[in-house]
Structures are given as C-alpha cells and as structure tokens.
Amino acid sequence: MRIVLVDMPWSAIDAPSLALGILKRRVLDVFPDARIDVVHANLDYVDWLTARTGFTFEEYDFCASSYFSGHSEWIFSAALNEQPGWHPEFGGSLGSRVPEPLLAKARELHRLAPLFVGETAARITAGGPDVVGFTTTFAQNAAALATARAVKVRAPRAVTVFGGANCDGPQGAALHRNFPFVDFVVRGEGEAAFPQLLAALRDGGEFAGISGLCWRDTGGRCVTNPMEAKPLPPAALVTPEYGDYFDRHARSTAGSWVEPRIVVEGSRGCWWGEKHHCTFCGLNGSFMEFRSKNPQRFVDEILGLVERYRILDVWVTDNILDMAYLTSMAPRLQESGYDLRLCYEIKSNLRREQLRTLSAAGIGYIQAGVENLSSRVLKLMDKGVTGCQNVRLLRDAETVGMNLNWNYLYGFPGESEEDYDEVCDQVPALHHLTPPFNATRLKVERFSPYFDRPELGFDNLRPASHYHHIYDLPDSELADLVYLFDSPKRGIPPSCLDRLKQAVSGWKDAYVHCRLTHCDLGDHIVLVDTRPGFTWHLLDLTDPLETTVFRLLDMPHSPASLLRKAAARHADATENRIGELLARWRRLGLVFTDGGQYIHIAPAVANQDLMRLDGSHLHSAEPLAPALAAAGGIR
C-alpha cells in the first residue's frame, strides 16, 4: 500500500506537523510494509513562490498567523472554487487590519494559487498512491481542499482522506458532505481510526465500525459514524517520526529563513477546562478530558528526538502544563545536561519557584493564559485567577528571565468601562513587564461555552463573514463547517476601547527601555527605576514596617490582611499607616491594585536587560495558542 500524507500551507514552516509525524509512525507500526511519503507542501510553497516572486519569511509568517482575518485562506479560494479572481473585493473588507503591501501580495498569491495546487497534485499523484491523507487545522482548509480536488481529477482511484482539528465533530461531517472529492473524513484522534480505515480499504472490510469516520455507502449517501465517547489513553500516544521534514527543511529556502524546532506533546485536553471551561476557548474540541504521558517516557521522548535530529529548540503543544510535571518531568530534563529551549503553555497562577523549576528545565518561553488584568473580567472568563495573580506572573517571569506571550482580550458580556479604566490608569507602572502582543476582541469559537450556551451573552451567531469569500456554500452548511463566528459586539464601548489600545500601544513602545527592580539586602530594600512616567530613580526602604509590607506584597494581599500580618510584627502598624503606605506606593508605581488586593511589581534584580527579548521583534500576529494547536493538527 502506498500512502501519501500532505501538509499544506499555512502550517508553520519552522516546525514539522505533529499530526503527520504521529500518523506516519503509527501506520508503520501497524503496516510495516507500507510505503509512506510525506509531502511538506508548506515548504514546497516557500520554494515555489521565492522562485517566482519576492516572497519573504515575514509574508509567510503573517499569512500563517492571520487565521482570524481569513485572508490567508482567501489566497487559495480561487483554486478551491476553480474560478480565477474569486471574490476580488475581499481585500477591501479587511480595512486596516492588513497593511496594503501585504494585501497586494495576497492578491498576487491568489492569482498564482491554482498553478501551485496543480503542480502539487501532480507531484502527489506521480507515484500512483493508493491513499492520500490531508491534515487540516486552522488556515489549511482551503489549500487542502483545493489540492484534494486536483488529486481526484488526476488520480480518480486514489482514496482521499481528511483529518485534523478542522474535521472535529460537525465540521468533519459538513466537510465530507459538501466536498464529494473527499472520500473519507476521520473525526477525532486519528491514531486508531486511520489504521482501521487503511485495513478496511486493503481487505475490503466494513467502514461502519470505525469510530468517527465519515464515508459514503454504495448509493453515494454520506454516513457519519458516532465518535468515541472516551479519548485515547496516554499510553496510546506514539512518538512522532520527523526525519523527512528535517531533510526537506534543510533543502528549502525556509532553511535559510528560520531554524527548525521539534514538536512534542506531553498531554492532551485541559485539566482546568474539565472543571471550569474558559468561556471563550474552543481549542480542545470534542475531547476536553486531560491525559498526560508518563513523565519519564515524555522526557525520554524529548531527549530521543533531540539526539536523533540534533535540535535543541522544542515546541510543546500541550494546552496546559500537567502540574505533576513540575516535580517529575522538569527535574529529569534539568538533569539531562542539554541546553534545551522549550516553549510551553501554562496556567497563569504559577508562582516564582515553579517558574524557576521550569526555567532550570530549559522552558524559557511560555504562552501564559493571562488574557486580562481585571479580576472581574477574568471571572467572566472563568479563568480561575485574579488580576493581581496575572501581574505576579508578569513580574516573576522578569525575575526568572522567562519570555512570555499573551494578548489582552476584551469584549466579554457583562464587562464594564470601570474594569478597564482602573487597569489603564496603572499601565504606565507596568511598562517594565512584558506587554501584551495586542488588545484583541474575542471571537466566538466552536466548542466554546460562548458557542454552546447563548445564555452567556452571545446569541444570533453567524459564520464569520470572511468565510463567504472562501467557500461557495450557504449559511446552513457554513454553520457546521467553520470554527469562527460573528456575533453582536459585547462589552466596552469604543471610547473605552480606544483608551485600552492606546495603553497597550504605549506599553509595547516603552517596554524595551524601562526597568524597575528591587534588591533585598535584609535590613533594607533598594529599588531602581528607569520608567519615564515616574520622577524617582532610586528608593531605599529602611523602615522596618515598610520592608515587612513590601515583602508581604510579594503575594496579593488586601489591606486588611496586610494590617493583620504586619501588626503581628510591628507595634506601629495601623490601618491609617498601611493605607497611606499603599497610596504612596501606588503613586510611585510600586504596586498594582485590583479587586481590593495589592501586589508589588518590582522584579528582583537579575540582569533583566540581558535576559529579556525585545517584544517588538516578535513576529506572531495572533495568539500563540492557535499556532501551538496548529502544530498538532490532530485530536
């Protein structure tokens, strides 16, 4: 059996597809005599375009991270619909969200896409494949569908199979019934279903018993098998096979653009989401149940891949850190002796010592679920953290030297101007801490509580408008096919939004030039400040009560709890004095307050200027979580 697995644009060019790496390994385990070729069409696209246009890494990266605007998928819409110049007015609908030079490039790529799709399909079919499998996550759908159509034209007997996050639940059923050139759709985790499908194709077996499979009966009617109620256990998650990707990357123009990374997964699902599903999050789709690999096995997998491919940069796709890994996986990685550089997604209530543990293990870049600095808005999200805890994470990441990525989300039903004004007033005091990449209105995602429960504030949902420029389908079908939905705007009014965006923009501009640190010398605490919004530069806390209160504010405290704890040590601690001290420190930009709590915001001095990344050089235009999910492409 000859199998071709395809990774289309716009998947990341600096990391292999976890989905295809897993499927290749799994199929070889079950069918050792099978011939499996992986077509890294994302890398092929880079080489193909650079030979024809002045294409750059920044342009590819922008398209890869612009899933929420839709313009990257529109590029392949003419190829998908077999109509040159499909919806040329789409660029104008994007307004200022896409700069004109990038829009001009998109129009050029839109014109060229059918040629690339045709040549890619010719390469895929040249060897006479029996099965052609496409992984599709986020912005890959249009390119993958267009290529599958072209494959069927050239090789009608080749079986086309789709899988990945874009095929989860009703999406997979809609994709199957609307695109007849897609023979099968695997919904959910593919490690079990895909080998079962291959066996049925080889042996003439039945398809009805394959969990989640979409197929057609002898009369051409679409059949959708029920999905498994329980996800795969962690022991069933195999180590991916990536050799073909790294060989291809080394021969690609992308190899001169960016160093490749290894992609691994230690877990699937979300332990927080099992208890409190964040209202805006749809990333885990049909399987929220949290499962994690044995920590020693996970470490062995990471180190084995590092040694095999001689790459130290590792991208972990987990939606949340397994807290047990702090005392199991992390120490083992530290003991390995490798200078690892891992990227991980964490919950934002981790404390400084926990961050130190992760940093010592080589986890130096984190996607932290900060999202907002108002406790009241965070409660609307069901995040399980407070504004002060989020600021603590920003502060402690600076102390530890950990780089992080986050966006400031807004637009939640029930939020108010006061939730944002109080934070915006304090943003100048935070200029030395990692700023959000952007202030972003939440988008209603399939599988999120906001999608499933209109009583939370979002009714009258419609498929996001950009999908009408990509697919030639009615709303009734788009409603099942797509992941993003337009909704009535909720939350803060435009005037408040302007203040928030100005605050975030000023924060981003100031960050690389600002520093606030403290050095605790026992009998006194020295603070140094370079933030332009404050007139002092050196402050020496020598009063015993002040040093006690400052140390207590390493953790969030209310004034009442500060008074109770300080009074147990100092006779001169009074309600008035604590109140005056907090008011003065707020004027000096030493504390952040929210929801009746305070926390000091001065990282411990630790050569911050050497450890921090310049945030202005980060190129990801969207939150990191979708990019991490896209690296997996399989649920």
Side-chain angles (χ1 to χ4, degrees):
M1 180 179 293
R2 181 164 185 234
I3 302 163
V4 178
L5 302 176
V6 187
D7 187 21
M8 292 298 294
W10 299 92
S11 61
I13 57 174
D14 59 348
S17 164
L18 177 63
L20 299 190
I22 288 173
L23 286 185
K24 181 175 181 179
R25 179 69 270 154
R26 179 68 180 138
V27 172
L28 287 174
D29 288 343
V30 179
F31 305 98
D33 296 329
R35 177 182 172 184
I36 305 176
D37 296 317
V38 180
V39 174
H40 300 281
N42 55 340
L43 299 178
D44 296 341
Y45 191 49
V46 168
D47 292 345
W48 192 88
L49 282 178
T50 52
R52 291 163 175 78
T53 74
F55 197 57
T56 67
F57 168 69
E58 289 73 20
E59 289 169 336
Y60 187 96
D61 188 67
F62 184 88
C63 289
S65 58
S66 64
Y67 173 66
F68 288 86
S69 71
H71 100 273
S72 53
E73 285 211 272
W74 173 77
I75 287 171
F76 284 93
S77 63
L80 170 60
N81 295 288
E82 299 184 298
Q83 292 189 33
W86 179 264
H87 283 285
E89 78 285 355
F90 177 53
S93 71
L94 294 172
S96 61
R97 287 182 290 169
V98 178
E100 178 54 38
L102 289 172
L103 273 180
K105 178 61 68 174
R107 296 185 190 102
E108 182 181 15
L109 302 188
H110 180 81
R111 177 177 58 80
L112 293 172
L115 297 175
F116 173 75
V117 165
E119 292 184 21
T120 300
R123 288 198 303 275
I124 291 171
T125 57
D130 300 298
V131 177
V132 181
F134 292 86
T135 183
T136 174
T137 297
F138 292 116
Q140 289 182 289
N141 233 27
L145 285 168
T147 306
R149 182 199 296 274
V151 164
K152 269 298 193 184
V153 170
R154 288 165 174 78
R157 297 182 64 182
V159 174
T160 53
V161 185
F162 269 57
N166 286 342
C167 298
D168 201 356
Q171 294 177 273
L175 187 148
H176 187 251
R177 67 175 177 264
N178 282 287
F179 300 100
F181 49 84
V182 177
D183 295 316
F184 296 92
V185 172
V186 175
R187 301 184 303 151
E189 297 170 304
E191 292 97 325
F194 189 59
Q196 291 172 13
L197 172 61
L198 295 179
L201 290 169
R202 182 193 62 184
D203 303 332
E206 293 293 329
F207 303 124
I210 302 175
S211 174
L213 186 69
C214 299
W215 53 286
R216 293 181 179 86
D217 63 18
T218 55
R221 292 180 295 270
C222 293
V223 181
T224 301
N225 295 346
M227 295 177 66
E228 282 283 355
K230 296 289 289 184
L232 289 173
L237 308 183
V238 301
T239 301
E241 167 60 52
Y242 289 143
D244 45 68
Y245 166 80
F246 289 112
D247 289 343
R248 180 67 185 90
H249 187 275
R251 294 182 284 106
S252 170
T253 300
S256 64
W257 283 355
V258 62
E259 293 294 324
R261 293 180 278 182
I262 293 168
V263 182
V264 297
E265 61 172 355
S267 68
R268 292 183 187 175
C270 179
W271 54 261
W272 175 255
E274 283 188 89
K275 299 179 292 185
H276 298 276
H277 192 172
C278 296
T279 54
F280 62 93
C281 179
L283 282 180
N284 284 287
S286 299
F287 292 127
M288 182 66 74
E289 182 177 325
F290 185 72
R291 304 140 280 156
S292 63
K293 293 177 179 176
N294 173 279
Q296 185 59 58
R297 180 201 160 191
F298 186 37
V299 170
D300 291 343
E301 180 176 311
I302 292 173
L303 299 182
L305 292 169
V306 164
E307 291 166 358
R308 179 177 179 183
Y309 300 119
R310 308 180 72 82
I311 292 172
L312 295 170
D313 292 291
V314 181
W315 193 356
V316 184
T317 63
D318 300 13
N319 286 157
I320 194 169
L321 172 72
D322 183 344
M323 296 300 287
Y325 278 2
L326 286 166
T327 55
S328 55
M329 178 272 287
R332 289 181 172 94
L333 280 182
Q334 182 181 0
E335 293 165 2
S336 72
Y338 286 107
D339 183 22
L340 298 172
R341 297 179 290 273
L342 283 84
C343 174
Y344 224 115
E345 187 165 356
I346 67 169
K347 198 169 188 298
S348 61
N349 62 350
L350 265 62
R351 299 186 181 186
R352 182 165 54 249
E353 289 311 308
Q354 293 171 320
L355 294 179
R356 289 192 193 279
T357 297
L358 296 178
S359 180
I363 299 170
Y365 190 90
I366 55 175
Q367 160 80 4
V370 174
E371 266 96 48
N372 205 287
L373 299 182
S374 164
S375 295
R376 194 171 165 279
V377 179
L378 290 164
K379 187 174 182 179
L380 293 172
M381 300 184 199
D382 213 355
K383 290 290 293 182
V385 294
T386 67
C388 283
Q389 284 178 311
N390 279 345
V391 169
R392 182 186 68 187
L393 178 78
L394 300 180
R395 181 201 67 194
D396 291 347
E398 289 286 333
T399 295
V400 173
M402 188 170 278
N403 296 286
L404 56 86
N405 177 291
W406 67 289
N407 274 304
Y408 208 112
L409 298 185
Y410 66 90
F412 295 88
E415 68 185 16
S416 68
E417 291 189 64
E418 290 76 14
D419 299 324
Y420 290 84
D421 289 342
E422 183 71 10
V423 172
C424 290
D425 288 345
Q426 298 181 80
V427 162
L430 305 177
H431 280 176
H432 60 295
L433 305 179
T434 303
F437 188 83
N438 214 336
T440 305
R441 180 177 293 278
L442 76 93
K443 196 81 170 177
V444 176
E445 302 176 354
R446 184 183 299 278
F447 305 115
S448 70
Y450 278 143
F451 177 80
D452 292 327
R453 298 171 55 194
E455 71 272 16
L456 292 178
F458 287 107
D459 52 7
N460 192 28
L461 295 177
R462 306 173 306 282
S465 59
H466 65 256
Y467 290 120
H468 294 93
H469 300 276
I470 299 167
Y471 301 104
D472 187 17
L473 294 173
D475 269 3
S476 58
E477 290 299 322
L478 286 177
D480 283 343
L481 178 70
V482 305
Y483 182 71
L484 299 174
F485 292 82
D486 287 338
S487 60
K489 290 184 178 180
R490 302 290 190 235
I492 54 178
S495 58
C496 183
L497 175 57
D498 288 343
R499 293 194 295 275
L500 173 63
K501 292 199 168 187
Q502 289 171 11
V504 168
S505 177
W507 190 350
K508 292 168 63 177
D509 290 342
Y511 172 62
V512 293
H513 309 294
C514 291
R515 185 161 66 99
L516 170 65
T517 60
H518 83 272
C519 183
D520 193 331
L521 299 172
D523 60 341
H524 66 122
I525 299 173
V526 178
L527 295 111
V528 176
D529 181 31
T530 65
R531 296 166 299 173
F534 299 90
T535 57
W536 65 276
H537 299 293
L538 181 68
L539 185 64
D540 194 0
L541 303 182
T542 58
D543 180 90
L545 176 61
E546 292 191 4
T547 59
T548 293
V549 172
F550 186 86
R551 291 175 185 132
L552 287 171
L553 287 175
D554 188 62
M555 303 289 288
H557 279 81
S558 68
S561 63
L562 283 175
L563 175 60
R564 184 176 65 255
K565 294 178 181 180
R569 307 178 198 179
H570 303 280
D572 58 342
T574 65
E575 182 178 354
N576 284 341
R577 186 156 185 212
I578 295 294
E580 291 170 357
L581 184 60
L582 292 174
R584 179 162 64 89
W585 283 356
R586 176 166 177 179
R587 290 194 299 272
L588 295 175
L590 292 184
V591 296
F592 175 85
T593 180
D594 169 72
Q597 291 189 316
Y598 290 77
I599 190 167
H600 85 70
I601 57 176
V605 63
N607 289 325
Q608 274 79 12
D609 289 340
L610 296 178
M611 295 190 297
R612 64 167 52 167
L613 287 175
D614 179 350
S616 66
H617 294 162
L618 297 176
H619 50 71
S620 188
E622 298 286 358
L624 185 60
L628 291 173
I634 184 169
R635 294 190 189 277

